[in-house]
């Protein structure tokens, strides 16, 4: 065995020692033509060979291969000067090529037949065919135009469509070409019955995801939309939507939908730290489908030294379960910040849907709050209707390189409608992320708010505007930036203005640094000063979302000389 291995190695070494290098030079062609010629030349693919006879054969075949490589671009009369010489221990093949004049089309005969004559998307392909009479014959453009007919026909359910004539005629005698392309669409198929794989959910709920009915003309885009709607819901981890034209009966195509469920229960935990809040803990529980009707339940507990909050939501999918949801909410919480103290209990109803390309939120909350903002303990009961819209666009959910989010929220209460105070509040939050090359991001943020009321002193603490904290002006404690009364108490403001600009640089892997500048105020008069802050931060793009560690200092009067914030959560 060892002798055989040794003999094999000696033969391989002898072959490699005798191998001759082949260099190929192509002259006279632009980059596109040369690339295609080189790809088809047998001799150009020979890096080295020990058989000189193979090199000679490949050289003899080269002119014909060059002609074949030029024909797809309309060059049918090239002039080729081929030479093969020895240079040192190898070979040099030189091909000087004059491609000549490209052949042009004397006739382009593109026809459409069948039921597809009534479909604008198909008839438009005839007018938009990429080659016209007088154009240079280009096989790539021909194939692209030809494939478009088959693709659009399949999209609209013409599964029997075929070309009855598809040919390119080249007349070298008078150097012209013709295209004849006749496409018969046949008859259009319709949607058949839709079958879903077995799931814990009622079939009736699954069928509410459908936006088409059996008997309607087939459209592949409707199936793509169905798949998207299924995946956009919280129920499914995968959704395969497959038409089965081979099983069609009387041209009705059955649709098979195979679904895989998300885990029913999800637990989550998060932690953070802030100089103003101390350690922070978030615990969450989610049941994605409590029953066969697709009802779900959410609960979140947020704990810190200055704020405790427990909220829950029972959600019911409506007519369009991928976007319409009715929810019943409850919340209790306490707050003890520089602005004062508050104890809040709230119950409410929510409705969310998509409208005008935005996410729409309707709410009605009954809130009771005991609070102290410096004037002594007060209690207020409010019935608060609310309306909000969100626009979100992002290239990545967890770690976007570019994206934007805008939230517009309005709510209020009236004394004549189960409320102790009348007010109207409008808030606008906006954030944009802009990529500046592969390693740099620019993040801009703004918050604007306005409260209309004649009873500001009776307004609960949670319904007033304050600034400061990790989501506001980071060099200041939570609720530190505020209008003050004659006694120096932070009473909040009617007007909120916050802006931030941040530059982030990735250093290596998922690690990076950031520098930022924040400015803001919560005021009752427009001449009140702004508070400014700057800082540096570390960034980690973790598998579960970005982690941010910020060190910020105030540039205006402040309770502390610096703030530290550790935050885990998505950028938008």
């Amino acid at each position: 065995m060892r002798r055989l291995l040794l003999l094999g190695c000696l033969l391989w070494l002898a072959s490699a020692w005798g191998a001759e290098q082949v260099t190929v030079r192509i002259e006279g062609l632009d980059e596109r033509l040369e690339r295609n010629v080189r790809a088809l030349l047998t001799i150009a693919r020979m890096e080295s060979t020990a058989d000189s006879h193979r090199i000679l054969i490949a050289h003899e075949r080269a002119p014909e291969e060059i002609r074949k490589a030029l024909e797809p671009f309309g060059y049918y009369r090239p002039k080729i000067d081929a030479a093969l010489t020895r240079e040192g221990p190898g070979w040099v093949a030189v091909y000087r090529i004059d491609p000549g004049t490209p052949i042009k089309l004397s006739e382009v005969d593109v026809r459409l037949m069948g039921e597809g004559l009534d479909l604008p998307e198909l008839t438009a392909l005839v007018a938009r065919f990429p080659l016209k009479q007088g154009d240079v014959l280009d096989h790539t453009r021909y194939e692209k135009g030809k494939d478009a007919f088959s693709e659009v026909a399949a999209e609209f359910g013409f599964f029997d469509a075929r070309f009855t004539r598809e040919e390119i005629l080249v007349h070298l005698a008078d150097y012209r070409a013709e295209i004849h392309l006749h496409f018969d669409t046949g008859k259009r198929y319709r949607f058949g019955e839709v079958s879903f794989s077995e799931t814990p959910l009622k079939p009736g709920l699954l069928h509410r995801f459908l936006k088409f009915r059996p008997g309607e003309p087939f459209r592949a885009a409707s199936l793509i939309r169905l798949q998207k709607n299924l995946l956009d819901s919280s129920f499914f981890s995968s959704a395969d939507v497959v038409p089965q034209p081979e099983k069609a009966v009387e041209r009705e195509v059955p649709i098979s939908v195979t679904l895989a469920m998300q885990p029913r229960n999800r637990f989550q935990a998060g932690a953070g730290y802030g100089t103003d809040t101390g350690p922070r803990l978030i615990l969450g529980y989610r049941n994605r489908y409590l029953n066969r009707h697709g009802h779900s339940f959410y609960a979140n507990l947020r704990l810190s030294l200055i704020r405790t909050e427990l909220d829950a939501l029972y959600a019911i999918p409506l007519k369009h379960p991928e976007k319409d949801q009715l929810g019943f909410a409850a919340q209790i919480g306490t707050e003890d910040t520089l602005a004062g103290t508050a104890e809040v209990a709230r119950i409410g109803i929510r409705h969310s849907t998509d409208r005008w390309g935005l996410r729409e939120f309707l709410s009605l909350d009954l809130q009771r709050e005991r609070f102290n903002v410096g004037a002594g303990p007060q209690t207020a009961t409010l019935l608060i209707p609310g309306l909000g819209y969100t626009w979100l666009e992002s290239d990545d959910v967890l770690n976007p390189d570019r994206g934007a989010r805008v939230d517009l929220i309005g709510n209020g209460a009236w004394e004549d409608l189960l409320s102790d105070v009348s007010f109207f509040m409008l808030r606008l939050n906006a954030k944009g992320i802009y990529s500046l090359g592969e390693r740099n991001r620019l993040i801009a943020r703004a918050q604007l708010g306005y409260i209309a009321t004649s009873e500001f002193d009776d307004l609960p603490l949670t319904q007033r505007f304050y600034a400061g904290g990790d989501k506001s002006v980071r060099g200041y404690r939570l609720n530190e930036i505020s209008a003050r009364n004659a006694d120096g108490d932070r009473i909040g403001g009617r007007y909120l203005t916050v802006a931030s600009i941040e530059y982030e640089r990735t250093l290596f892997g998922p690690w990076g640094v950031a520098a930022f500048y924040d400015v803001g105020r919560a005021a009752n008069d427009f001449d009140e000063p702004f508070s400014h802050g700057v800082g540096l931060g570390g960034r980690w793009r973790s598998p579960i979302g970005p982690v941010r560690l910020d060190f910020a200092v105030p540039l205006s009067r402040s309770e502390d000389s610096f703030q530290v914030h550790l935050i885990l959560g998505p950028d938008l």
Side-chain angles (χ1 to χ4, degrees), residues 457-502:
D457 291 341
D458 298 322
L459 203 61
L461 183 148
T462 59
Q463 302 299 325
R464 305 185 187 196
F465 287 133
Y466 294 89
D470 55 25
K471 297 180 180 179
S472 183
V473 186
R474 282 166 282 187
Y476 302 81
R477 298 170 67 179
L478 183 68
N479 291 359
E480 181 178 350
I481 301 172
S482 166
R484 301 193 184 216
N485 61 14
D487 297 325
D489 300 319
R490 294 179 174 86
I491 60 172
R494 301 170 184 264
Y495 311 109
L496 176 69
T497 308
V498 173
S500 172
I501 190 73
E502 179 173 320

Side-chain angles (χ1 to χ4, degrees), residues 347-506:
I347 58 173
I349 187 170
R350 309 273 189 272
H351 177 260
S352 58
T353 189
D354 291 340
R355 195 185 306 277
W356 310 310
L358 307 173
R359 190 67 179 161
E360 179 185 88
F361 300 91
L362 289 168
S363 62
L364 181 64
D365 290 328
L366 180 62
Q367 173 180 314
R368 183 172 177 83
E369 180 172 340
R370 291 197 295 268
F371 62 98
N372 188 339
V373 196
Q378 294 175 268
T379 300
T381 299
L382 302 172
L383 182 65
I384 308 175
L387 173 63
Y389 290 95
T390 294
W391 176 76
L392 174 63
E393 186 173 297
S394 174
D395 64 344
D396 186 272
V397 176
L398 290 179
N399 294 296
D401 287 319
R402 61 183 181 277
R405 175 172 180 151
V406 179
D407 298 287
L408 180 63
I409 305 165
N411 55 35
W414 290 266
E415 285 183 305
D416 294 336
L417 192 61
L418 303 178
S419 298
D420 294 331
V421 182
S422 295
F423 75 96
F424 172 72
M425 177 187 292
L426 187 64
R427 288 170 288 168
L428 175 67
N429 300 325
K431 188 174 184 179
I433 300 175
Y434 309 92
S435 177
L436 303 173
E438 293 185 0
R439 293 177 170 267
N440 306 287
R441 293 196 311 169
L442 192 66
I443 303 171
R445 174 169 51 89
Q447 302 173 40
L448 298 173
Y450 168 70
I451 300 173
T453 182
S454 60
E455 307 166 273
F456 187 82
D457 291 341
D458 298 322
L459 203 61
L461 183 148
T462 59
Q463 302 299 325
R464 305 185 187 196
F465 287 133
Y466 294 89
D470 55 25
K471 297 180 180 179
S472 183
V473 186
R474 282 166 282 187
Y476 302 81
R477 298 170 67 179
L478 183 68
N479 291 359
E480 181 178 350
I481 301 172
S482 166
R484 301 193 184 216
N485 61 14
D487 297 325
D489 300 319
R490 294 179 174 86
I491 60 172
R494 301 170 184 264
Y495 311 109
L496 176 69
T497 308
V498 173
S500 172
I501 190 73
E502 179 173 320
Y503 169 72
E504 183 180 295
R505 169 74 175 178
T506 299

Side-chain angles (χ1 to χ4, degrees), residues 27 37 50 119 158 164 172 261 277-278 297 320 433 437:
E27 302 175 0
V37 167
L119 191 70
F158 294 95
T164 58
L172 293 179
M261 303 298 296
T277 64
F297 176 75
H320 303 289
I433 300 175

